[in-house]
Amino acid sequence: MRITRLLFSAVLFSIIAGFGCAEKTPPAFTISGHVKNPRSGKIILTQEEDINRKKSRFIETIKPDREGHFELDLALEPHLYTINFYDEKKITLAIGRGQEIKIKADGADLSKVKVSGSRDTALLEEYEEFRKESLERLVISVRDRLKATGDYNNTESEIAGIDEISNYEKHKAELNDFIKRKIGDSIALYATTLRWDGQENIPFFKSMAAAFEKTHGGIEITERINEKIELLEQTGIGGKAAKMKMPDKDGNIIPFEPSKSRYTLVDFWASWCGPCRRESKTVAALYKKYKADGFEIYGVSLDDDRVKWLDAIDKDGRIWNNVSTLTGYDTDAAFDYAVTSLPAKFLVDSDGRIVSRNLHGRELEKKLKELYSE
């Protein structure tokens, strides 16, 4: 009996000792830093749960000590994270497993926040710098030249409008090339999905997603990347157009009902979008020409200024259904149709199938002539 008790005590001791000697599970990553001249406000860490839908989740409030130092050991997945300094400066971090991120900031001057220790964050910063340079060179410079000629929104030159639109396509192609050359399977890939577009690019995006999943497994952002690809497939030619119900200028909820017309043009636009405004006359002429044959337009404005929206409707002669939540790109319709730039157009048949996308000017005119000749 005594031997049994001794054996039991020895086993129990070894179990307890084993627990005591076991190493603690290391954190997935750490964030530490120093805020010079810290303020009394809050520094908030959030995770970018769904960047395309602009959803984030609170992680915790960072509380530097009296000298401004802080350190966080976080058992979280690789993801995109944002640190918001006093509601004045936000920095985005692309964080992989095992990274030790170090941050230096000055509460008196938040214009420059230095981040080190994260290859993925460095790649994201490089991508953002390239994106801004490419956009300036290919799009904004063209836009500025057009604005210098007079009324940017009502410039008659169709070639001018095509230049801006075609240059934006070149800009997106440059971004895709950068992703292929530099981003690869980095966590930063998730941030680039904000500007993924084009049915013709789906095979490329799928290859990037497959390489990413092979490296990182089925983490949350792997699912988000694949969701974006599925959305691009759904909004491509042959895809089923998403349902919509949005308010018009009088607050009436207007549903998108393609079954009531032979063809419906879903036209995403905004009062500030020069190419959208310049092609208004062409679209209005096509509406008058084919309305009796069952052609409708459902105009979705991504404006956030009611006065400018209504003024543009009046000046452009947009006499069809015009709706808007007046929340800019932050609307379900923009997400459901994977709209990342304007103008964006989807021609939908009576079964709700997309028969063409992003045709402008003469191309749209040619497509409608073809369809209504059948």
Side-chain angles (χ1 to χ4, degrees):
M1 186 71 169
R2 186 182 175 193
I3 294 174
T4 302
R5 286 178 179 174
L6 287 172
L7 285 172
F8 176 76
S9 298
V11 171
L12 181 61
F13 176 80
S14 65
I15 292 173
I16 294 172
F19 276 122
C21 296
E23 295 183 3
K24 293 182 179 179
T25 303
F29 58 88
T30 64
I31 302 176
S32 63
H34 178 234
V35 181
K36 184 180 177 182
N37 301 312
R39 303 182 192 175
S40 58
K42 292 183 178 181
I43 303 175
I44 304 295
L45 175 68
T46 57
Q47 187 184 78
E48 299 307 306
E49 178 184 0
D50 189 336
I51 57 171
N52 285 280
R53 283 194 179 273
K54 298 181 180 179
K55 291 183 178 179
S56 60
R57 60 169 69 101
F58 171 81
I59 301 300
E60 66 178 272
T61 300
I62 297 174
K63 298 178 179 178
D65 61 21
R66 291 182 179 180
E67 287 74 38
H69 297 282
F70 65 89
E71 183 170 353
L72 305 174
D73 294 332
L74 299 164
L76 299 170
E77 283 190 350
H79 217 298
L80 290 187
Y81 295 86
T82 295
I83 297 181
N84 184 344
F85 292 87
Y86 312 114
D87 275 333
E88 181 179 321
K89 175 73 173 182
K90 291 183 180 181
I91 61 169
T92 301
L93 307 172
I95 304 178
R97 287 189 178 92
Q99 294 182 351
E100 297 179 358
I101 296 90
K102 297 185 183 300
I103 296 172
K104 289 184 178 180
D106 187 343
D109 180 11
L110 292 170
S111 61
K112 294 181 180 179
V113 177
K114 294 183 179 180
V115 179
S116 61
S118 171
R119 167 185 172 273
D120 301 279
T121 300
L123 283 172
L124 178 56
E125 290 175 348
E126 188 178 352
Y127 169 81
E128 280 300 312
E129 288 177 8
F130 177 79
R131 181 187 67 80
K132 291 173 183 177
E133 183 278 326
S134 173
L135 186 68
E136 175 66 36
R137 171 168 41 85
L138 291 172
V139 182
I140 296 176
S141 61
V142 173
R143 189 177 298 162
D144 288 343
R145 288 199 301 271
L146 291 172
K147 288 181 178 179
T149 63
D151 191 345
Y152 171 65
N153 289 337
N154 294 307
T155 301
E156 293 291 338
S157 172
E158 184 178 349
I159 298 299
I162 291 173
D163 282 347
E164 189 173 347
I165 294 171
S166 62
N167 273 25
Y168 195 85
E169 293 302 314
K170 293 176 184 177
H171 165 64
K172 290 190 290 186
E174 286 194 350
L175 294 185
N176 289 343
D177 180 63
F178 185 94
I179 291 168
K180 183 178 181 180
R181 289 186 296 107
K182 294 289 190 76
I183 300 296
D185 60 2
S186 166
I187 297 299
L189 182 70
Y190 179 44
T192 72
T193 65
L194 270 174
R195 293 170 182 85
W196 284 13
D197 187 24
Q199 193 171 14
E200 70 281 2
N201 293 319
I202 290 176
F204 166 66
F205 295 144
K206 282 186 174 180
S207 69
M208 299 302 295
F212 185 91
E213 186 165 7
K214 184 177 180 180
T215 299
H216 301 284
I219 59 177
E220 182 178 60
I221 55 176
T222 300
E223 296 176 9
R224 294 283 186 247
I225 291 170
N226 287 323
E227 284 173 4
K228 184 58 180 278
I229 294 172
E230 290 174 7
L231 184 59
L232 291 176
E233 290 178 322
Q234 292 167 12
T235 56
I237 295 174
K240 190 75 172 178
K243 295 179 180 179
M244 291 180 282
K245 286 185 178 181
M246 299 176 70
D248 66 7
K249 63 180 181 179
D250 299 316
N252 301 312
I253 302 301
I254 308 298
F256 167 53
E257 299 177 298
S259 62
K260 291 189 175 182
S261 302
R262 188 174 172 189
Y263 294 101
T264 303
L265 182 68
V266 179
D267 180 22
F268 286 88
W269 70 289
S271 64
W272 45 260
C273 169
C276 304
R277 304 290 300 279
R278 285 194 291 273
E279 64 182 8
S280 293
K281 290 184 179 179
T282 300
V283 175
L286 292 173
Y287 182 66
K288 291 176 182 178
K289 182 176 182 178
Y290 292 108
K291 179 173 173 56
D293 296 321
F295 178 56
E296 268 302 331
I297 301 176
Y298 191 82
V300 182
S301 168
L302 299 187
D303 274 289
D304 57 13
D305 187 309
R306 176 178 172 81
V307 173
K308 291 180 179 179
W309 172 46
L310 297 181
D311 183 59
I313 289 174
D314 182 57
K315 286 183 177 178
D316 296 352
R318 294 174 176 266
I319 58 175
W320 46 86
N321 282 326
N322 286 281
V323 297
S324 181
T325 58
L326 294 174
T327 54
Y329 278 91
D330 192 12
T331 179
D332 287 341
F335 174 83
D336 291 338
Y337 282 81
V339 175
T340 60
S341 62
L342 297 177
K345 288 177 165 56
F346 301 83
L347 190 61
V348 181
D349 67 17
S350 58
D351 293 324
R353 293 289 173 185
I354 298 170
V355 298
S356 76
R357 63 191 305 275
N358 290 338
L359 295 182
H360 307 282
R362 292 174 184 173
E363 289 184 338
L364 179 60
E365 184 177 1
K366 181 180 178 181
K367 183 65 177 180
L368 288 173
K369 183 178 180 180
E370 173 191 314
L371 290 172
Y372 281 102
S373 297
E374 294 177 352

